[in-house]
Short mmCIF file of all heavy atoms in Angstrom, two decimals:
data_model
loop_
_atom_site.label_atom_id
_atom_site.label_comp_id
_atom_site.label_asym_id
_atom_site.label_seq_id
_atom_site.Cartn_x
_atom_site.Cartn_y
_atom_site.Cartn_z
N GLN D 1 -11.22 15.98 -3.02
CA GLN D 1 -10.91 15.90 -1.60
C GLN D 1 -9.68 15.01 -1.37
O GLN D 1 -8.80 15.35 -0.57
CB GLN D 1 -12.12 15.33 -0.84
CG GLN D 1 -11.96 15.28 0.66
CD GLN D 1 -11.91 16.65 1.28
OE1 GLN D 1 -12.46 17.60 0.74
NE2 GLN D 1 -11.24 16.77 2.40
N GLN D 2 -9.60 13.90 -2.11
CA GLN D 2 -8.44 13.00 -2.00
C GLN D 2 -7.17 13.71 -2.44
O GLN D 2 -6.12 13.58 -1.80
CB GLN D 2 -8.68 11.74 -2.84
CG GLN D 2 -7.59 10.71 -2.73
CD GLN D 2 -7.50 10.12 -1.33
OE1 GLN D 2 -8.51 9.92 -0.68
NE2 GLN D 2 -6.30 9.87 -0.87
N ASN D 3 -7.27 14.48 -3.53
CA ASN D 3 -6.11 15.23 -4.02
C ASN D 3 -5.63 16.24 -2.99
O ASN D 3 -4.42 16.41 -2.77
CB ASN D 3 -6.44 15.94 -5.33
CG ASN D 3 -6.64 14.97 -6.47
OD1 ASN D 3 -6.27 13.80 -6.38
ND2 ASN D 3 -7.24 15.44 -7.56
N VAL D 4 -6.59 16.92 -2.34
CA VAL D 4 -6.22 17.90 -1.30
C VAL D 4 -5.53 17.20 -0.14
O VAL D 4 -4.49 17.68 0.36
CB VAL D 4 -7.47 18.67 -0.83
CG1 VAL D 4 -7.18 19.48 0.42
CG2 VAL D 4 -8.00 19.57 -1.94
N GLU D 5 -6.09 16.06 0.29
CA GLU D 5 -5.47 15.32 1.39
C GLU D 5 -4.07 14.85 1.02
O GLU D 5 -3.15 14.92 1.84
CB GLU D 5 -6.36 14.14 1.77
CG GLU D 5 -7.63 14.53 2.49
CD GLU D 5 -8.55 13.35 2.71
OE1 GLU D 5 -8.14 12.20 2.45
OE2 GLU D 5 -9.70 13.59 3.15
N ASP D 6 -3.92 14.36 -0.21
CA ASP D 6 -2.59 13.92 -0.66
C ASP D 6 -1.61 15.08 -0.68
O ASP D 6 -0.45 14.93 -0.28
CB ASP D 6 -2.68 13.28 -2.05
CG ASP D 6 -3.39 11.94 -2.03
OD1 ASP D 6 -3.55 11.37 -0.92
OD2 ASP D 6 -3.79 11.47 -3.11
N ALA D 7 -2.09 16.24 -1.14
CA ALA D 7 -1.21 17.41 -1.20
C ALA D 7 -0.78 17.85 0.20
O ALA D 7 0.39 18.17 0.44
CB ALA D 7 -1.91 18.56 -1.92
N VAL D 8 -1.72 17.83 1.14
CA VAL D 8 -1.39 18.20 2.53
C VAL D 8 -0.39 17.20 3.11
O VAL D 8 0.58 17.58 3.79
CB VAL D 8 -2.68 18.25 3.39
CG1 VAL D 8 -2.35 18.33 4.87
CG2 VAL D 8 -3.54 19.42 2.97
N LYS D 9 -0.60 15.93 2.81
CA LYS D 9 0.31 14.88 3.30
C LYS D 9 1.72 15.08 2.72
O LYS D 9 2.72 14.94 3.43
CB LYS D 9 -0.26 13.52 2.87
CG LYS D 9 0.36 12.34 3.53
CD LYS D 9 -0.43 11.11 3.10
CE LYS D 9 0.23 9.85 3.58
NZ LYS D 9 -0.48 8.67 3.09
N GLU D 10 1.76 15.42 1.43
CA GLU D 10 3.07 15.64 0.79
C GLU D 10 3.75 16.89 1.32
O GLU D 10 4.97 16.93 1.43
CB GLU D 10 2.90 15.75 -0.73
CG GLU D 10 2.51 14.45 -1.41
CD GLU D 10 3.57 13.37 -1.28
OE1 GLU D 10 4.77 13.69 -1.33
OE2 GLU D 10 3.19 12.20 -1.10
N MET D 11 2.96 17.92 1.66
CA MET D 11 3.55 19.16 2.18
C MET D 11 4.18 18.95 3.54
O MET D 11 5.11 19.65 3.92
CB MET D 11 2.49 20.26 2.26
CG MET D 11 2.18 20.91 0.93
SD MET D 11 1.18 22.37 1.10
CE MET D 11 -0.44 21.68 1.35
N GLN D 12 3.66 18.00 4.30
CA GLN D 12 4.19 17.77 5.64
C GLN D 12 5.50 16.99 5.61
O GLN D 12 6.23 16.96 6.60
CB GLN D 12 3.16 17.01 6.47
CG GLN D 12 1.95 17.86 6.81
CD GLN D 12 0.87 17.06 7.49
OE1 GLN D 12 0.92 15.84 7.53
NE2 GLN D 12 -0.14 17.76 8.01
N LYS D 13 5.82 16.38 4.47
CA LYS D 13 7.07 15.63 4.35
C LYS D 13 8.22 16.59 4.09
O LYS D 13 8.02 17.70 3.59
CB LYS D 13 6.96 14.63 3.20
CG LYS D 13 5.98 13.52 3.47
CD LYS D 13 5.95 12.58 2.32
CE LYS D 13 4.91 11.48 2.58
NZ LYS D 13 4.79 10.59 1.46
N PRO D 14 9.41 16.16 4.41
CA PRO D 14 10.55 17.04 4.15
C PRO D 14 10.76 17.20 2.63
O PRO D 14 10.34 16.36 1.83
CB PRO D 14 11.73 16.30 4.80
CG PRO D 14 11.28 14.90 4.91
CD PRO D 14 9.80 14.92 5.05
N LEU D 15 11.44 18.28 2.27
CA LEU D 15 11.65 18.57 0.85
C LEU D 15 12.57 17.55 0.21
O LEU D 15 12.34 17.10 -0.92
CB LEU D 15 12.23 19.98 0.69
CG LEU D 15 12.37 20.48 -0.73
CD1 LEU D 15 11.01 20.52 -1.40
CD2 LEU D 15 13.03 21.82 -0.77
N ALA D 16 13.61 17.14 0.90
CA ALA D 16 14.55 16.16 0.36
C ALA D 16 13.98 14.76 0.54
O ALA D 16 13.66 14.35 1.65
CB ALA D 16 15.89 16.28 1.06
N ARG D 17 13.83 14.00 -0.54
CA ARG D 17 13.31 12.63 -0.49
C ARG D 17 14.48 11.69 -0.73
O ARG D 17 15.16 11.78 -1.74
CB ARG D 17 12.25 12.41 -1.56
CG ARG D 17 11.14 13.44 -1.65
CD ARG D 17 9.97 13.26 -0.73
NE ARG D 17 9.27 12.03 -0.73
CZ ARG D 17 8.11 11.80 -1.33
NH1 ARG D 17 7.56 12.72 -2.07
NH2 ARG D 17 7.52 10.66 -1.20
N TYR D 18 14.70 10.78 0.19
CA TYR D 18 15.82 9.85 0.08
C TYR D 18 15.37 8.54 -0.54
O TYR D 18 14.19 8.27 -0.70
CB TYR D 18 16.44 9.62 1.46
CG TYR D 18 16.99 10.91 2.04
CD1 TYR D 18 16.32 11.58 3.05
CD2 TYR D 18 18.17 11.46 1.53
CE1 TYR D 18 16.81 12.76 3.56
CE2 TYR D 18 18.67 12.65 2.05
CZ TYR D 18 17.99 13.30 3.06
OH TYR D 18 18.47 14.47 3.54
N ILE D 19 16.31 7.66 -0.82
CA ILE D 19 16.03 6.40 -1.51
C ILE D 19 15.25 5.44 -0.64
O ILE D 19 14.53 4.57 -1.16
CB ILE D 19 17.36 5.77 -2.00
CG1 ILE D 19 17.07 4.75 -3.08
CG2 ILE D 19 18.12 5.15 -0.84
CD1 ILE D 19 18.23 4.47 -3.97
N ASP D 20 15.31 5.60 0.67
CA ASP D 20 14.58 4.69 1.55
C ASP D 20 13.19 5.21 1.92
O ASP D 20 12.56 4.70 2.85
CB ASP D 20 15.40 4.42 2.82
CG ASP D 20 15.66 5.68 3.62
OD1 ASP D 20 15.50 6.78 3.05
OD2 ASP D 20 16.00 5.56 4.80
N ASP D 21 12.68 6.20 1.18
CA ASP D 21 11.33 6.73 1.43
C ASP D 21 10.31 5.71 0.93
O ASP D 21 10.20 5.45 -0.27
CB ASP D 21 11.16 8.06 0.69
CG ASP D 21 9.87 8.75 1.09
OD1 ASP D 21 9.11 8.17 1.88
OD2 ASP D 21 9.63 9.88 0.60
N GLN D 22 9.54 5.14 1.85
CA GLN D 22 8.60 4.06 1.51
C GLN D 22 7.43 4.56 0.68
O GLN D 22 6.98 3.88 -0.24
CB GLN D 22 8.09 3.39 2.78
CG GLN D 22 9.16 2.62 3.51
CD GLN D 22 8.65 2.03 4.80
OE1 GLN D 22 7.52 2.31 5.21
NE2 GLN D 22 9.46 1.22 5.45
N ASP D 23 6.92 5.75 0.98
CA ASP D 23 5.78 6.29 0.21
C ASP D 23 6.16 6.51 -1.24
O ASP D 23 5.42 6.16 -2.15
CB ASP D 23 5.30 7.61 0.81
CG ASP D 23 4.62 7.41 2.15
OD1 ASP D 23 4.16 6.29 2.41
OD2 ASP D 23 4.55 8.39 2.92
N LEU D 24 7.33 7.09 -1.47
CA LEU D 24 7.79 7.34 -2.83
C LEU D 24 8.00 6.02 -3.57
O LEU D 24 7.59 5.88 -4.73
CB LEU D 24 9.09 8.15 -2.80
CG LEU D 24 9.72 8.45 -4.16
CD1 LEU D 24 8.79 9.32 -5.00
CD2 LEU D 24 11.07 9.13 -3.98
N ASP D 25 8.61 5.06 -2.88
CA ASP D 25 8.85 3.74 -3.49
C ASP D 25 7.53 3.06 -3.87
O ASP D 25 7.39 2.55 -4.99
CB ASP D 25 9.65 2.87 -2.51
CG ASP D 25 10.08 1.57 -3.16
OD1 ASP D 25 10.56 1.60 -4.30
OD2 ASP D 25 9.90 0.51 -2.51
N ARG D 26 6.54 3.08 -2.96
CA ARG D 26 5.25 2.46 -3.24
C ARG D 26 4.55 3.16 -4.40
O ARG D 26 3.97 2.51 -5.27
CB ARG D 26 4.36 2.51 -2.00
CG ARG D 26 3.09 1.69 -2.13
CD ARG D 26 2.18 1.70 -0.91
NE ARG D 26 2.86 1.61 0.36
CZ ARG D 26 2.95 2.59 1.25
NH1 ARG D 26 2.40 3.76 0.98
NH2 ARG D 26 3.56 2.43 2.40
N MET D 27 4.61 4.51 -4.42
CA MET D 27 3.97 5.25 -5.49
C MET D 27 4.59 4.92 -6.84
O MET D 27 3.88 4.69 -7.84
CB MET D 27 4.09 6.76 -5.22
CG MET D 27 3.39 7.63 -6.25
SD MET D 27 3.72 9.38 -6.02
CE MET D 27 5.42 9.49 -6.56
N LEU D 28 5.92 4.82 -6.88
CA LEU D 28 6.59 4.51 -8.15
C LEU D 28 6.30 3.08 -8.59
O LEU D 28 6.17 2.80 -9.79
CB LEU D 28 8.11 4.72 -8.00
CG LEU D 28 8.55 6.18 -7.84
CD1 LEU D 28 10.04 6.25 -7.56
CD2 LEU D 28 8.19 7.00 -9.06
N ARG D 29 6.17 2.16 -7.64
CA ARG D 29 5.88 0.76 -8.00
C ARG D 29 4.45 0.61 -8.53
O ARG D 29 4.19 -0.21 -9.40
CB ARG D 29 6.07 -0.16 -6.79
CG ARG D 29 7.51 -0.43 -6.46
CD ARG D 29 7.59 -1.27 -5.20
NE ARG D 29 8.94 -1.41 -4.73
CZ ARG D 29 9.73 -2.43 -5.03
NH1 ARG D 29 9.29 -3.40 -5.81
NH2 ARG D 29 10.95 -2.49 -4.56
N GLU D 30 3.52 1.38 -7.97
CA GLU D 30 2.13 1.26 -8.39
C GLU D 30 1.84 1.92 -9.74
O GLU D 30 0.83 1.64 -10.35
CB GLU D 30 1.21 1.85 -7.32
CG GLU D 30 1.12 0.99 -6.09
CD GLU D 30 0.29 1.63 -4.99
OE1 GLU D 30 -0.18 2.78 -5.17
OE2 GLU D 30 0.11 0.98 -3.94
N GLN D 31 2.72 2.77 -10.19
CA GLN D 31 2.51 3.41 -11.49
C GLN D 31 2.60 2.37 -12.60
O GLN D 31 3.49 1.52 -12.59
CB GLN D 31 3.56 4.49 -11.74
CG GLN D 31 3.30 5.78 -11.02
CD GLN D 31 4.37 6.82 -11.32
OE1 GLN D 31 5.33 6.55 -12.04
NE2 GLN D 31 4.20 7.99 -10.75
N GLU D 32 1.66 2.48 -13.55
CA GLU D 32 1.70 1.59 -14.71
C GLU D 32 2.28 2.37 -15.87
O GLU D 32 1.79 3.44 -16.22
CB GLU D 32 0.29 1.08 -15.05
CG GLU D 32 -0.23 0.11 -14.02
CD GLU D 32 -1.57 -0.48 -14.42
OE1 GLU D 32 -1.92 -0.39 -15.62
OE2 GLU D 32 -2.25 -1.00 -13.54
N ARG D 33 3.32 1.80 -16.48
CA ARG D 33 3.97 2.47 -17.60
C ARG D 33 3.68 1.73 -18.89
O ARG D 33 3.54 0.51 -18.90
CB ARG D 33 5.48 2.53 -17.35
CG ARG D 33 5.82 3.40 -16.13
CD ARG D 33 7.31 3.33 -15.84
NE ARG D 33 7.63 4.02 -14.60
CZ ARG D 33 7.48 3.50 -13.40
NH1 ARG D 33 7.03 2.27 -13.26
NH2 ARG D 33 7.80 4.18 -12.34
N GLU D 34 3.62 2.49 -19.95
CA GLU D 34 3.35 1.90 -21.25
C GLU D 34 4.55 1.06 -21.69
O GLU D 34 5.70 1.47 -21.56
CB GLU D 34 3.09 3.02 -22.27
CG GLU D 34 2.56 2.51 -23.58
CD GLU D 34 2.23 3.65 -24.52
OE1 GLU D 34 2.05 4.77 -24.06
OE2 GLU D 34 2.16 3.37 -25.72
N GLY D 35 4.26 -0.12 -22.19
CA GLY D 35 5.32 -0.99 -22.68
C GLY D 35 6.02 -1.78 -21.59
O GLY D 35 7.09 -2.36 -21.84
N ASP D 36 5.46 -1.83 -20.40
CA ASP D 36 6.07 -2.58 -19.31
C ASP D 36 5.80 -4.07 -19.51
O ASP D 36 4.65 -4.49 -19.53
CB ASP D 36 5.48 -2.11 -17.97
CG ASP D 36 6.18 -2.71 -16.78
OD1 ASP D 36 7.14 -3.49 -16.98
OD2 ASP D 36 5.78 -2.40 -15.64
N PRO D 37 6.84 -4.91 -19.68
CA PRO D 37 6.61 -6.33 -19.94
C PRO D 37 6.06 -7.09 -18.73
O PRO D 37 5.41 -8.11 -18.88
CB PRO D 37 8.00 -6.86 -20.33
CG PRO D 37 8.95 -5.88 -19.75
CD PRO D 37 8.27 -4.57 -19.71
N MET D 38 6.29 -6.60 -17.52
CA MET D 38 5.83 -7.29 -16.32
C MET D 38 4.43 -6.85 -15.87
O MET D 38 3.88 -7.43 -14.93
CB MET D 38 6.81 -7.05 -15.17
CG MET D 38 8.17 -7.69 -15.37
SD MET D 38 8.06 -9.47 -15.38
CE MET D 38 7.76 -9.80 -13.68
N ALA D 39 3.87 -5.83 -16.54
CA ALA D 39 2.58 -5.29 -16.08
C ALA D 39 1.49 -6.35 -16.13
O ALA D 39 0.67 -6.45 -15.20
CB ALA D 39 2.20 -4.08 -16.93
N ALA D 40 1.44 -7.13 -17.20
CA ALA D 40 0.39 -8.15 -17.34
C ALA D 40 0.51 -9.20 -16.24
O ALA D 40 -0.50 -9.63 -15.65
CB ALA D 40 0.47 -8.80 -18.71
N LEU D 41 1.74 -9.63 -15.93
CA LEU D 41 1.96 -10.63 -14.90
C LEU D 41 1.53 -10.10 -13.52
O LEU D 41 0.89 -10.82 -12.74
CB LEU D 41 3.43 -11.04 -14.88
CG LEU D 41 3.80 -12.12 -13.87
CD1 LEU D 41 3.13 -13.43 -14.25
CD2 LEU D 41 5.30 -12.29 -13.81
N ILE D 42 1.87 -8.85 -13.25
CA ILE D 42 1.51 -8.26 -11.96
C ILE D 42 0.00 -8.13 -11.83
O ILE D 42 -0.58 -8.42 -10.77
CB ILE D 42 2.20 -6.89 -11.79
CG1 ILE D 42 3.72 -7.10 -11.64
CG2 ILE D 42 1.65 -6.14 -10.58
CD1 ILE D 42 4.52 -5.83 -11.66
N LYS D 43 -0.66 -7.73 -12.92
CA LYS D 43 -2.13 -7.63 -12.90
C LYS D 43 -2.75 -9.00 -12.63
O LYS D 43 -3.71 -9.13 -11.86
CB LYS D 43 -2.65 -7.09 -14.24
CG LYS D 43 -2.64 -5.60 -14.35
CD LYS D 43 -3.31 -5.21 -15.64
CE LYS D 43 -3.17 -3.72 -15.89
NZ LYS D 43 -3.73 -3.32 -17.18
#
């Protein structure tokens, strides 16, 4: 259900995503990447 809601939310956004898009920025910041030296500090 959450995935469907997220997909509907994303479909309502414009196709072109600019650098000042807050949702995209927050999503990229929350992603945890392997080998990230700051991940432990943030946790």
Side-chain angles (χ1 to χ4, degrees):
Q1 184 68 27
Q2 184 65 37
N3 291 345
V4 168
E5 288 173 8
D6 290 345
V8 168
K9 193 174 173 184
E10 291 296 323
M11 281 191 282
Q12 291 173 349
K13 292 181 182 177
L15 186 60
R17 311 274 307 258
Y18 298 105
I19 199 158
D20 62 342
D21 189 358
Q22 292 177 353
D23 290 337
L24 178 63
D25 187 45
R26 189 179 319 110
M27 183 187 72
L28 292 174
R29 284 176 188 265
E30 288 176 357
Q31 282 180 358
E32 290 185 18
R33 295 175 187 81
E34 190 176 340
D36 187 1
M38 292 295 287
L41 182 66
I42 291 172
K43 275 186 187 176

